[in-house]
Amino acid sequence: SQQGEEDPQALSIQEGENATMNCSYKTSINNLQWYRQNSGRGLVHLILIRSNEREKHSGRLRVTLDTSKKSSSLLITASRAADTASYFCATVVNYQLIWGAGTKLIIKP
Amino acid sequence: DAGVIQSPRHEVTEMGQEVTLRCKPISGHDYLFWYRQTMMRGLELLIYFNNNVPIDDSGMPEDRFSAKMPNASFSTLKIQPSEPRDSAVYFCASSVGGTRGLEAFFGQGTRLTVV
């Protein structure tokens, strides 16, 4: 069963704007990861945040984790057309990756 | 490393036929996962292996599905007999456990169409 739930299911913004996606989960985790999937391709790992971390950055990506609320957010700053993709969160629980349903992000030029 | 390699990329088969999907994980990775992705059900974990041993196959939908990992560099997912509802994209992923925290590397997927 899926533990993570992304919000929103779909997001459409103008190029240059920031995009924020959220993920909620149900049980205690070892870490939480975000992945991107371009249409027709496999998922690509973006960033991993451990349960004892609160914020992590990688380029234009910023991930936060609130274990008390069992939620995480992924912020993409200064969005580009190439950021158009589906974004998934995955939680690691007992050496299993538990996936959310994904957020479909469309960047309009 | 070439990454996770799956074959074939596309497979079209008739209902009732046997289908075999293949995966070569990244060398040195000790976890291998088989996923199925559809619009309706999203990404579903079918089975995963650790050090070539199946750990959890609770996601395998029916006895028609079987998976093997005879060695650290090869795995197969077999569907026999195939049905139209098996049409989906099947992904293989591999990862390293321990301190790397199970960052998964995905193959390009096999798009299966059963007619």
Side-chain angles (χ1 to χ4, degrees), chain A residues 3-84:
Chain A
Q3 153 149 268
E5 293 184 7
E6 284 92 342
D7 164 47
Q9 288 187 330
L11 179 62
S12 181
I13 61 173
Q14 291 293 140
E15 191 170 19
E17 294 180 341
N18 295 341
T20 300
M21 290 159 273
N22 303 296
C23 170
S24 59
Y25 57 92
K26 298 172 185 170
T27 65
S28 296
I29 61 173
N30 304 113
N31 66 62
L32 185 145
Q33 304 174 31
W34 284 91
Y35 288 78
R36 182 186 71 225
Q37 184 180 32
N38 291 94
S39 180
R41 309 295 293 271
L43 282 76
V44 175
H45 182 267
L46 294 176
I47 195 164
L48 179 154
I49 186 165
R50 300 189 185 280
S51 59
N52 61 352
E53 296 176 311
R54 293 296 167 257
E55 188 171 312
K56 205 160 183 182
H57 297 254
S58 177
R60 294 183 296 114
L61 305 180
R62 174 179 163 244
V63 168
T64 61
L65 179 64
D66 187 333
T67 53
S68 65
K69 295 181 179 178
K70 292 186 169 58
S71 68
S72 173
S73 67
L74 170 67
L75 169 68
I76 303 174
T77 59
S79 63
R80 304 169 181 169
D83 295 329
T84 293

Side-chain angles (χ1 to χ4, degrees), chain B residues 1-6 23-27 29 92 94 105-108:
Chain B
D1 200 315
V4 176
I5 300 172
Q6 291 185 247
C23 175
K24 182 181 187 314
I26 293 173
S27 176
H29 284 194
C92 174
S94 69
F105 293 78
F106 280 75
Q108 293 296 326

